[in-house]
Amino acid sequence: MAGIMSRGALRLAGSVRAFSAVPKTMRAAVVRAVGGPDAMKIETDFPVPALADGQVLVRNHFAGVNFIDTYHRKGMYKRDLPFIGGQEGGGEIAQLTPKAEAAGWKVGDRVAYSVLQTYCEYSPVPAAKLIKVPAGVGLDVATACVVQGLTAHYLTHDAHAHLIKPGEWMLIHGVSGGTCQWAAQMARLAGYKVIGTCSKGKLAVAEQTKCHELIVCDEVPGKSFEDYTSVDIVKRVMEITEGKGCKAVIDGIGLSTMDISLNSLARRGIFVSFGNASGAVPAFPVLRLIEKSAFVTRPKLLDYTVDRAELDRRANDIFGWLLSGELKVGIDKVFSLDDAAAGHIYLEEGKSTGKVLYKI
């Protein structure tokens, strides 16, 4: 069972502090062969993971559902089989090891986190990966913050390498979807002028992000992205920006928007490609960037939460904005873990208008 922690891992008998009733087995959505949504099977007798020192065991209340989870399930991003789905969770600490206790964590602390294997009742989490959930923030909202919130934060604050300055234009695709709902709001908070793209069917959701300008496209039935051929987006961007273009483009759509994103850039602008909703971005010659001396990056969250200080900085910003009301989080739909396949179908068919969660 290469993809799942060995049953023989360090148990630290006699030194683990715990709630009195941590069972030996748990429910989990397990992938033993990659494929469609039905590749996730609910197993009710999966072993509760053992802990290595420095970890805690979190009793999950919620698990976040993200597009990257579907890429793992389909085999687009390789994982060792078998594996438990998910990489985002929130709940309470049920067990902790001496090193975790020394770091200040306690049994019963409310936490959110991002590690692999969260579609289950209990997850082992390194203490260094934990985010403490402040009073006033529900565990559902806190869980929604982890992957999408932290991703939106690094996309709008750092991935652009500060090639954009406050008061300049940023184009964000799909602002009626999950991550980019967050990103549009955070970009405004950072002082950028935001152009968002969205579909007609999700216009009301996009309007809540308060983008300075919206470009509204037709829908693609049964898909999670808009019909980007239905509007001349580059033309509209140039009209809005008075021919200058955008200093940064945040693009999680991929194949359908790559050309639009590159052609919408201002001189010395940066194309930030972070997702594949419509298919992976193909390789292209670097010489293509010469027309505007443009930049391109393909970042990932792990490289923007490299230590406790960086993780805390991003999380504290997000929780602060939530508590002040400056940032709004939409929990669109909550599925039971037993309906794990339905959650993936809902996301992949483009039905979501906010965060999708599993209730564990």
Side-chain angles (χ1 to χ4, degrees):
M1 299 177 67
I4 298 169
M5 182 178 291
S6 166
R7 301 185 196 193
L10 182 62
R11 181 65 70 176
L12 296 172
S15 62
V16 173
R17 296 188 182 276
F19 284 140
S20 58
V22 174
K24 293 182 179 179
T25 60
M26 64 179 182
R27 287 186 306 130
V30 182
V31 176
R32 296 189 176 274
V34 297
D38 289 338
M40 290 187 297
K41 306 294 185 185
I42 303 302
E43 300 185 12
T44 59
D45 58 352
F46 200 88
V48 171
L51 294 180
D53 202 7
Q55 291 184 324
V56 307
L57 190 69
V58 177
R59 170 63 175 94
N60 292 319
H61 291 218
F62 295 94
V65 185
N66 297 287
F67 267 104
I68 194 170
D69 305 343
T70 71
Y71 305 156
H72 290 161
R73 188 207 73 226
K74 291 186 287 191
M76 180 185 295
Y77 292 176
K78 300 296 183 183
R79 294 274 301 277
D80 291 334
L81 294 169
F83 64 85
I84 295 171
Q87 62 170 20
E88 181 179 50
E92 295 177 324
I93 295 177
Q95 284 184 344
L96 76 168
T97 56
K99 285 184 180 178
E101 186 174 24
W105 297 100
K106 304 185 300 297
V107 169
D109 279 348
R110 298 192 320 141
V111 294
Y113 64 91
S114 177
V115 301
L116 295 174
Q117 305 187 158
T118 62
Y119 292 179
C120 55
E121 291 180 299
Y122 293 92
S123 296
V125 184
K129 296 284 189 181
L130 294 171
I131 300 170
K132 191 163 187 177
V133 179
V137 177
L139 281 173
D140 55 347
V141 172
T143 303
C145 289
V146 183
V147 172
Q148 291 184 346
L150 292 175
T151 296
H153 192 285
Y154 88 74
L155 289 172
T156 55
H157 285 69
D158 294 294
H160 50 60
H162 304 281
L163 294 167
I164 180 172
K165 306 299 181 188
E168 294 181 322
W169 286 102
M170 176 182 286
L171 172 63
I172 304 178
H173 289 300
V175 296
S176 55
T179 299
C180 287
Q181 278 189 52
W182 297 73
Q185 296 177 76
M186 292 183 192
R188 282 194 304 100
L189 290 169
Y192 306 130
K193 294 190 289 186
V194 182
I195 302 171
T197 65
C198 68
S199 68
K200 291 177 180 176
K202 296 182 180 180
L203 177 58
V205 176
E207 287 175 336
Q208 293 174 19
T209 66
K210 299 182 180 178
C211 291
H212 297 85
E213 298 281 348
L214 284 173
I215 300 174
V216 183
C217 304
D218 291 341
E219 295 178 274
V220 179
K223 297 293 184 182
S224 60
F225 52 91
E226 296 77 39
D227 179 0
Y228 288 95
T229 66
S230 64
V231 178
D232 189 337
I233 294 174
V234 176
K235 180 181 178 182
R236 283 290 299 125
V237 166
M238 292 303 168
E239 290 171 349
I240 292 165
T241 63
E242 299 180 334
K244 295 179 181 178
C246 294
K247 294 294 287 190
V249 178
I250 307 298
D251 187 343
I253 306 300
L255 181 62
S256 293
T257 48
M258 175 190 121
D259 290 331
I260 294 168
S261 295
L262 288 169
N263 293 333
S264 295
L265 288 173
R267 181 180 291 116
R268 294 185 352 212
I270 185 167
F271 169 36
V272 182
S273 174
F274 78 98
N276 315 290
S278 66
V281 172
F284 61 90
V286 70
L287 193 62
R288 183 167 178 186
L289 303 175
I290 196 171
E291 181 183 353
K292 297 178 180 177
S293 297
F295 298 81
V296 62
T297 183
R298 205 318 178 175
K300 66 180 187 294
L301 177 59
L302 287 176
D303 289 329
Y304 286 87
T305 50
V306 296
D307 55 28
R308 167 55 63 182
E310 190 167 41
L311 178 62
D312 283 345
R313 173 173 66 86
R314 299 195 193 285
N316 290 340
D317 279 353
I318 293 167
F319 286 137
W321 292 328
L322 286 168
L323 290 169
S324 71
E326 295 173 281
L327 180 64
K328 306 294 184 184
V329 178
I331 305 297
D332 174 39
K333 196 169 181 67
V334 180
F335 291 86
S336 165
L337 181 63
D338 293 333
D339 295 324
H344 275 211
I345 292 168
Y346 185 79
L347 195 67
E348 291 180 292
E349 288 185 347
K351 295 179 179 178
S352 65
T353 58
K355 186 63 183 180
V356 179
L357 298 171
Y358 291 135
K359 181 77 171 69
I360 310 297

